[in-house]
Amino acid sequence: MEFLRPATWDEALAAKAEFPTALPISGGTDVMVEMNFDVHRPSAILDLNRITELRQWEITDGVVRLGASVPYARIINELSEPLPGLALAAHTVGSPQIRNRGGVGGNLGGASPAGDAHPALLAAGRDVFVEVASAARGTRLIAIDDFYVGVKRNSMEKDELILRVHIPVADGPQQFSKIGTRNAMVIAVCAFGFALHPKNGTVGTGIGSAAPTPRRAVAAEEFLQGVLAERGLWESGDLLGAEVIQQFGELVKAAASPIDDVRGTADYRRHSLAVMARRTLTWTWNDYSKQIRSAA
Amino acid sequence: MSTRTIAGQKNLQDIRTGSKDGIGGSPLRPDGTLKVKGEFAYSSDLWHEDMLWGMALRSPHPRANILSVDISEALKLPGVYAVLTHEDIPGTKFYGLEIQDQPALAIDKVRYHGEAIAIVAADHPETARRAVKKIKVEYEVLTPITTEEQCLNPEVYGYVHEPHEFKSHGSGNICHSQKLVHGGGVTDEIRALADVIVSGDYEVGMQDQAFLGPESGLAVPAEDGGMDLYVATQWLHVDRQQVAPVLGIPEEKLRLTLAGVGGAFGGREDLSMQIHACLLAQRTGKPVKIVYARDESFFGHVHRHPAKMYYEHGATRDGKLVYADARIVLDGGAYASASPAVVGNAASLGHGPYNIPNVRMEAIALYSNNPSCGAMRGFGAVQACFGYETQMDKLAAELGMDPVELRQLNAMAEGDSMPTGQVIDSPAPVAELLQRVKDMPLPPPLDLTNLDVRTLPGALSNTTHGEGVVRGIGYSVGIKNVGFSEGFDDYSTARVRLEVIGGEPVAMVHTAMAEVGQGGITVHAQIARTELGVEQVTIHPANTEVGSAGSTSASRQTYMTGGAVKYAAEAVAQALIAKGRKRYGWTHNDLSLNGGKVVSESAGVLVSMVDLLGDDAIDLTREHHHRPTVPFDKETGQGFGHVQYTFCANRAVVDVDVELGLVKVVELTAAQDVGKALNPLSVVGQIQGGCTQALGLAVMEEIIVKDGKVRNASFTDYLIPTILDVPPIPVDVLELPDPNAPYGLRGVGEAPTVSATPSIVAAIRAATGLALNRVPVRPEHLTGTL
């Protein structure tokens, strides 16, 4: 097994071009587990730990540019305000040790439907982009909606690496809920991310672990956007009403296509998605209402 | 209190107080800090120059005939030193704790998913792994025998062990069975005496010991043709007894030394890598180390028997139990392991700590193509307790009685008789333990104004901010035996040496006791300090140079090996005093050792131990045998079968998110009689640990087996409680001495694991109103989405 240890981003891209089957590693919280369990014996490992830009973030023009290796612990500590949904998701990742090592790049690279970051990224809006690069073609932005293409598959080319993720600074309340059968350090049975985007009058959803890929609940988003617009609720901040919340939950549930496995049944996943959808909508809307009323 | 000055310028009062680190004190364990800091040397850290790495090829099928095994490609791999199959075994090919029915390597067939077929030794673990992959096995895959229905109809579904090769006490696919009848048994006439009858079917899933240190050890061939084996185990001598015949060498040529053990809980009572490492070392003439990976560990040790149980109780209108009936079916899996003893416990303890005039019971263990099950903390009593305690709640509800009062009304006490006819001849404060947990203050109600999601079901997963959360409270009590039962003489040996080192009297304690985390070495040092009046005690590494210490299981080590240390130390003390009498002509009859001196109650300090010992050492070995027991009658279950009984009561307070089916145990209170707490801190730790393992069984821990295949052999999917799942566990310790036991002590480790699970489930029932007849309780059970 080759062990490649580039010092710079350009060297990393060159290495990936030369060894396209090389498996990138940063925190190692996923890669090492799979190697220990003999799931993968990659021909080469591409260690990205020397590349400093992967561990940096910045905010420009209302967008967080989050380095692929910024660990979850720093997302919680440093980015809870601009990225509240992702920070809540980060809280649910593994243990403190895992959160000190793992970052969003690993979730995206692995593209497991159970990755905790995915529902939060999907909910954060249509302007979330994964910035990838290759030595041959330079940088490109992949819209998050186009990123997940199959079970543990993303739309990257073999010679590409993830540099950072572009996530708009939150302009409204965001929430994230995850079901696990214990109270910490657990892989998602299913998860739901939700965000209000009052600036453009949209809402964002993200479903985890309940379909071959992380996915939006598009019909639920459209239904809710319609209600909010028709009833002038963005302006008034008035109560949504039980029927709307109920219907939203049902539409989120309908958007999932879960399976039965050792972690949970498909029925339970659908059921709990509806509950999480109702609750996260209620929490975010309550927060939004308070903001509107205190501003009025 | 007045004191007087005595020789040695120390007053008697001070000296009599003894060492603060003697028995009743709580000196810290020597391995604690090392383990927390990651510096403890576990068996997986063993290393030897020129050592090879061993690895096993395991069956992917739960039931198959092996048509051929081709090792030629594996042998060709550079760095591979040996590839062995059962054909290479020089001695006996079978082993087992009680029944030698398990082949050291599969012979012509495999009976469970993960059974070892061939073993490899190579110069690097990666080379060994590749070699294992190059072994070609041709299987004829057969339909596994996995359900009770299939097991009990072997003529239709087949035999796990063919009748001509069957070695156990049962027949067909029944490994072992035990019946019990007490009073008038259970007949229509007896049933007619009851005003109220409740019954139910209950189920306990397959729990794993889930110790953190995977199976590992190092076998080093010796020049005398023997073998030195360093291994993490629970019982060195029984390992030796099983391994030596397979190697074809006499037991005395196989020397075992305990390596650092990372938890056991019963899972190391059976052999794992011992025979394989020794066979490879014997063949290659080189040291061989084997360390299981985590997934292999789940295949490499036995689990807790899953159980299906039927219980029926009849009572009078005022709550007095009239009769109890039960049938407990335990799935023992492919090989016997400890199944017979587990059956004996389930049958004899399976009606709980209650006075029931008429009892019937049948417990059986099946052979199946599921993973083998054997010893795990609680051992047969855990499964039953979930059954009878659920019944007590059901009966209380039926009668409109308080569930604690119903239990207290029927609770057994000292002088009462077990359904086996054995009279309980030491304290059995069942009603008092229940009262104590009931009387403890309750935790404050959920405070939604000051919300911390970590305190709610789901915790940081952020699934509720109070929505759907309902609190419930549940109670339970359980009974467990201490020590090996049914006529087994599981004696312990201890050697104690006293000599002067560096101007101080120093005691050395040498036993073969496996320290698996229970704190035995700490207790041994405490006993030596108390009995010998010294401060300095060294613990000799545990090995087979000294006699057997029995198993670190059945809550027995402090009782048995602790007792042996006590008796050996007493003998050393008497020998030292005898030496003094001879030298100085003492005639006092009030002598003891204290503060490094020989002390007379009447005359004060007589001489320092340093002066009396001089250059001599006193070195004595003693065995401790508990009082004899007898096997239970096969049909009636009658007999003085158990050494000692132990009781624990619990109260669980839980918050359940009833919409999502998520549970947060808020508090788990325990009250337990320990006879005498030799190390109170360790006692509380044992009780809290036992409660935690019971919590795991209540709400999350289960090996999921489908058609004989293990589906979750990892800590990703076999979940054990984290610190956010473990609530505060207030512990109320009673010390009512057992006159039959050393220091009056009562084994501690298992009772809370038996009793705590049903209290948690009872609390979840109280919160949800659901019946919940199975553990672990999953979110699906609470939301109707199974």
Side-chain angles (χ1 to χ4, degrees):
Chain A
M1 185 191 295
E2 293 286 332
F3 187 72
L4 310 164
R5 202 146 187 267
T8 67
W9 181 240
D10 286 344
E11 279 181 34
L13 293 178
K16 185 65 172 155
E18 191 181 347
F19 299 94
T21 59
L23 186 62
I25 186 170
S26 182
T29 58
D30 199 17
V31 170
M32 291 310 297
V33 173
E34 299 224 321
M35 284 179 61
N36 281 335
F37 275 108
D38 210 11
V39 177
H40 288 307
R41 291 287 151 159
S43 59
I45 293 268
L46 180 58
D47 177 9
L48 300 172
N49 279 292
R50 292 170 76 191
I51 297 158
T52 49
E53 46 272 56
L54 293 176
R55 290 196 300 278
Q56 294 167 349
W57 61 264
E58 57 177 20
I59 300 178
T60 43
D61 305 329
V63 174
V64 181
R65 289 174 168 79
L66 177 68
S69 301
V70 173
Y72 291 110
R74 283 181 58 203
I75 294 174
I76 296 166
N77 292 329
E78 300 166 20
L79 292 167
S80 280
E81 281 201 20
L83 304 177
L86 185 62
L88 283 168
H91 264 297
T92 74
V93 174
S95 60
Q97 293 90 332
I98 302 289
R99 293 194 286 272
N100 284 336
R101 294 287 303 172
V104 171
N107 253 200
L108 291 167
S112 159
D116 292 319
H118 307 312
L121 293 176
L122 285 166
R126 310 250 162 177
D127 294 329
V128 173
F129 297 96
V130 184
E131 183 179 342
V132 301
S134 66
R137 299 177 307 283
T139 294
R140 68 177 175 125
L141 295 178
I142 306 175
I144 195 73
D145 278 350
D146 302 328
F147 189 79
Y148 310 107
V149 295
V151 178
K152 298 195 175 186
R153 284 194 300 118
N154 58 34
S155 53
M156 292 168 64
E157 301 295 332
K158 285 209 179 314
D159 62 347
E160 287 179 325
L161 291 171
I162 302 168
L163 178 58
R164 56 174 79 91
V165 190
H166 299 222
I167 313 161
V169 171
D171 63 319
Q174 302 186 349
Q175 280 290 347
F176 176 88
S177 283
K178 162 174 146 182
I179 302 285
T181 33
R182 73 179 166 197
N183 289 308
M185 234 171 92
V186 68
I187 286 207
V189 172
C190 59
F192 185 68
F194 182 70
L196 294 173
H197 303 297
K199 269 192 189 157
N200 60 8
T202 63
V203 302
T205 59
I207 292 171
S209 286
T213 66
R215 64 163 64 152
R216 284 176 195 284
V218 176
E221 289 178 7
E222 286 170 355
F223 160 75
L224 187 58
Q225 283 163 192
V227 170
L228 295 176
E230 282 163 25
R231 302 189 192 169
L233 293 171
W234 287 115
E235 294 73 24
S236 69
D238 284 349
L239 290 176
L240 294 172
E243 270 177 42
V244 170
I245 294 169
Q246 183 69 25
Q247 179 64 14
F248 178 72
E250 291 306 306
L251 288 169
V252 168
K253 177 177 169 176
S257 29
I259 54 165
D260 289 329
D261 64 16
V262 292
R263 293 174 193 153
T265 63
D267 275 355
Y268 177 69
R269 288 183 161 104
R270 273 189 284 266
H271 166 81
S272 56
L273 274 171
V275 176
M276 289 191 290
R278 294 198 298 264
R279 290 183 183 175
T280 52
L281 171 58
T282 305
W283 301 336
T284 49
W285 191 257
N286 285 349
D287 286 349
Y288 179 73
S289 295
K290 266 183 228 153
Q291 286 169 22
I292 293 289
R293 283 169 194 165
S294 64
Chain B
M1 186 181 287
S2 67
T3 56
R4 66 194 171 89
T5 305
I6 55 163
Q9 297 181 339
K10 200 170 180 190
N11 68 55
L12 194 57
Q13 191 62 41
D14 284 349
I15 287 176
R16 262 213 225 95
T17 309
S19 168
K20 73 173 173 50
D21 289 341
I23 65 163
S26 290
L28 297 179
R29 44 199 293 170
D31 51 329
T33 306
L34 293 172
K35 283 175 175 169
V36 170
K37 290 170 81 176
E39 291 167 358
F40 184 81
Y42 289 100
S43 52
S44 51
D45 299 316
L46 290 163
W47 188 85
H48 198 289
E49 207 162 280
D50 292 336
M51 74 181 187
L52 303 176
W53 295 78
M55 202 167 284
L57 169 71
R58 293 179 180 277
S59 168
H61 309 294
R63 185 176 179 223
N65 290 322
I66 298 172
L67 303 179
S68 67
V69 181
D70 178 1
I71 61 169
S72 55
E73 289 303 310
L75 274 172
K76 281 183 201 160
L77 200 65
V80 171
Y81 281 71
V83 182
L84 308 180
T85 68
H86 77 90
E87 290 178 356
D88 301 296
I89 293 174
T92 322
K93 294 193 180 188
F94 293 86
Y95 72 97
L97 273 179
E98 299 180 29
I99 297 157
Q100 286 71 52
D101 65 348
Q102 182 157 7
L105 290 166
I107 304 169
D108 302 335
K109 63 171 72 172
V110 288
R111 296 186 178 87
Y112 72 96
H113 178 203
E115 181 159 6
I117 296 164
I119 45 176
V120 170
D123 58 6
H124 191 281
E126 187 66 13
T127 309
R129 188 188 68 81
R130 287 178 192 170
V132 163
K133 289 204 164 165
K134 286 182 180 293
I135 300 171
K136 294 193 194 84
V137 183
E138 205 184 334
Y139 297 99
E140 180 196 355
V141 178
L142 303 172
T143 305
I145 305 159
T146 59
T147 65
E148 182 185 346
E149 152 81 11
Q150 289 167 349
C151 291
L152 294 182
N153 292 287
E155 61 288 352
V156 179
Y157 299 99
Y159 293 86
V160 178
H161 298 263
E162 296 295 331
H164 70 269
E165 58 184 6
F166 194 88
K167 292 176 178 166
S168 196
H169 317 300
S171 63
N173 287 321
I174 295 176
C175 173
H176 194 86
S177 62
Q178 176 69 57
K179 289 181 179 170
L180 184 148
V181 183
H182 172 69
V186 177
T187 61
D188 288 345
E189 291 74 36
I190 297 283
R191 276 197 176 92
L193 300 174
D195 300 321
V196 173
I197 295 173
V198 293
S199 65
D201 290 298
Y202 305 100
E203 197 176 334
V204 175
M206 186 187 288
Q207 191 179 19
D208 190 73
Q209 298 84 357
F211 45 70
L212 298 187
E215 292 86 345
S216 42
L218 175 69
V220 184
E223 285 180 1
D224 66 351
M227 189 73 65
D228 290 292
L229 177 62
Y230 303 84
V231 66
T233 181
Q234 286 179 228
W235 188 356
L236 291 168
H237 285 76
V238 86
D239 281 12
R240 180 168 76 168
Q241 190 186 316
Q242 294 175 91
V243 175
V246 182
L247 303 181
I249 62 174
E251 275 192 33
E252 60 271 19
K253 284 207 167 183
L254 178 62
R255 295 162 290 263
L256 275 77
T257 302
L258 187 72
V261 184
F265 313 110
R268 293 186 210 270
E269 198 154 279
D270 284 87
L271 297 178
S272 57
M273 46 57 64
Q274 286 91 328
I275 290 174
H276 297 164
C278 289
L279 284 172
L280 291 167
Q282 197 178 35
R283 170 62 72 98
T284 61
K286 283 170 163 287
V288 174
K289 173 174 172 172
I290 293 181
V291 181
Y292 284 1
R294 178 59 60 195
D295 52 345
E296 189 173 19
S297 175
F298 277 99
F299 295 109
H301 62 253
V302 300
H303 317 288
R304 187 189 299 294
H305 289 73
K308 292 202 161 112
M309 306 178 286
Y310 171 77
Y311 270 91
E312 182 181 315
H313 285 81
T316 61
R317 181 58 57 197
D318 56 5
K320 271 296 213 187
L321 289 170
V322 172
Y323 77 90
D325 194 11
R327 181 166 185 270
I328 298 175
V329 179
L330 301 155
D331 185 351
Y335 296 106
S337 179
S339 280
V342 170
V343 166
N345 269 10
S348 58
L349 305 169
H351 281 300
Y354 300 112
N355 288 317
I356 314 172
N358 306 291
V359 166
R360 186 169 66 175
M361 164 69 80
E362 181 184 18
I364 64 171
L366 302 171
Y367 275 127
S368 73
N369 293 119
N370 289 319
S372 291
C373 290
M376 184 177 170
R377 196 178 198 170
F379 203 86
V382 165
Q383 295 91 334
C385 188
F386 176 64
Y388 63 72
E389 284 302 88
T390 304
Q391 283 282 106
M392 287 303 116
D393 286 339
K394 211 179 244 192
L395 184 60
E398 189 69 29
L399 291 165
M401 278 181 79
D402 176 272
V404 172
E405 282 171 21
L406 174 72
R407 286 173 169 85
Q408 288 175 319
L409 181 66
N410 293 288
M412 56 174 49
E414 183 169 2
D416 288 335
S417 173
M418 291 290 290
T420 58
Q422 182 172 6
V423 173
I424 298 185
D425 55 1
S426 71
V430 177
E432 183 181 352
L433 294 171
L434 282 160
Q435 196 60 43
R436 282 177 177 248
V437 291
K438 191 178 182 185
D439 288 347
M440 284 223 227
L442 280 164
L446 194 60
D447 180 6
L448 291 179
T449 60
N450 189 14
L451 193 82
D452 178 347
V453 289
R454 286 174 302 182
T455 65
L456 294 169
L460 285 170
S461 291
N462 191 40
T463 44
T464 178
H465 294 171
E467 300 91 338
V469 178
V470 180
R471 181 157 291 188
I473 299 174
Y475 292 89
S476 62
V477 64
I479 180 171
K480 177 71 184 52
N481 61 316
V482 173
F484 282 27
S485 302
E486 298 187 62
F488 201 105
D489 180 18
D490 52 318
Y491 70 95
S492 281
T493 315
R495 175 186 156 221
V496 173
R497 181 182 174 90
L498 183 66
E499 64 191 317
V500 178
I501 299 174
E504 252 193 291
V506 177
M508 194 251 326
V509 178
H510 183 187
T511 74
M513 176 198 68
E515 170 63 63
V516 306
Q518 81 275 24
I521 55 173
T522 313
V523 164
H524 288 183
Q526 292 178 257
I527 292 170
R529 286 190 196 100
T530 292
E531 297 301 333
L532 295 171
V534 299
E535 276 303 313
Q536 296 302 320
V537 182
T538 57
I539 302 293
H540 192 286
N543 58 26
T544 48
E545 284 171 20
V546 67
S548 176
S551 178
T552 301
S553 61
S555 306
R556 63 175 288 286
Q557 276 298 18
T558 300
Y559 188 125
M560 289 307 301
T561 309
V565 173
K566 177 180 194 278
Y567 300 133
E570 281 173 353
V572 168
Q574 289 312 312
L576 183 67
I577 288 168
K579 185 181 169 77
R581 288 189 197 280
K582 196 171 169 192
R583 181 186 295 176
Y584 300 110
W586 297 330
T587 54
H588 313 74
N589 57 6
D590 59 355
L591 299 182
S592 64
L593 305 183
N594 231 322
K597 299 173 176 63
V598 180
V599 179
S600 157
E601 189 78 7
S602 54
V605 171
L606 298 181
V607 68
S608 78
M609 288 159 66
V610 170
D611 290 341
L612 182 53
L613 274 164
D615 292 334
D616 292 348
I618 300 174
D619 193 325
L620 294 171
T621 299
R622 289 290 180 273
E623 281 182 5
H624 177 207
H625 296 254
H626 57 65
R627 55 182 176 163
T629 59
V630 299
F632 299 120
D633 182 272
K634 291 301 293 174
E635 292 302 314
T636 67
Q638 298 300 296
F640 191 96
H642 293 307
V643 179
Q644 188 188 47
Y645 295 97
T646 168
F647 308 91
C648 183
N650 294 94
R651 180 187 68 198
V653 179
V654 306
D655 282 339
V656 183
D657 183 336
V658 296
E659 269 189 290
L660 286 175
L662 300 178
V663 175
K664 170 87 180 175
V665 181
V666 175
E667 188 189 75
L668 184 55
T669 304
Q672 187 171 338
D673 171 28
V674 304
K676 164 76 183 171
L678 263 57
N679 184 318
L681 185 64
S682 278
V683 162
V684 170
Q686 277 288 327
I687 295 170
Q688 292 176 328
C691 287
T692 300
Q693 216 149 12
L695 185 158
L697 178 61
V699 295
M700 63 181 83
E701 291 191 40
E702 182 175 10
I703 292 194
I704 296 169
V705 182
K706 195 165 182 229
D707 300 327
K709 290 202 178 188
V710 175
R711 301 282 307 279
N712 57 338
S714 75
F715 280 149
T716 308
D717 286 315
Y718 183 88
L719 300 181
I720 55 177
T722 71
I723 193 67
L724 279 180
D725 300 286
V726 180
I729 305 178
V731 175
D732 192 352
V733 172
L734 261 73
E735 295 185 88
L736 307 176
D738 176 352
N740 301 301
Y743 300 115
L745 72 84
R746 203 174 282 287
V748 174
E750 291 174 290
T753 310
V754 173
S755 61
T757 302
S759 72
I760 294 165
V761 181
I764 300 172
R765 275 188 211 106
T768 61
L770 298 168
L772 305 179
N773 291 334
R774 186 186 197 281
V775 283
V777 176
R778 298 179 58 91
E780 283 87 347
H781 298 131
L782 301 179
T783 52
T785 53
L786 199 63

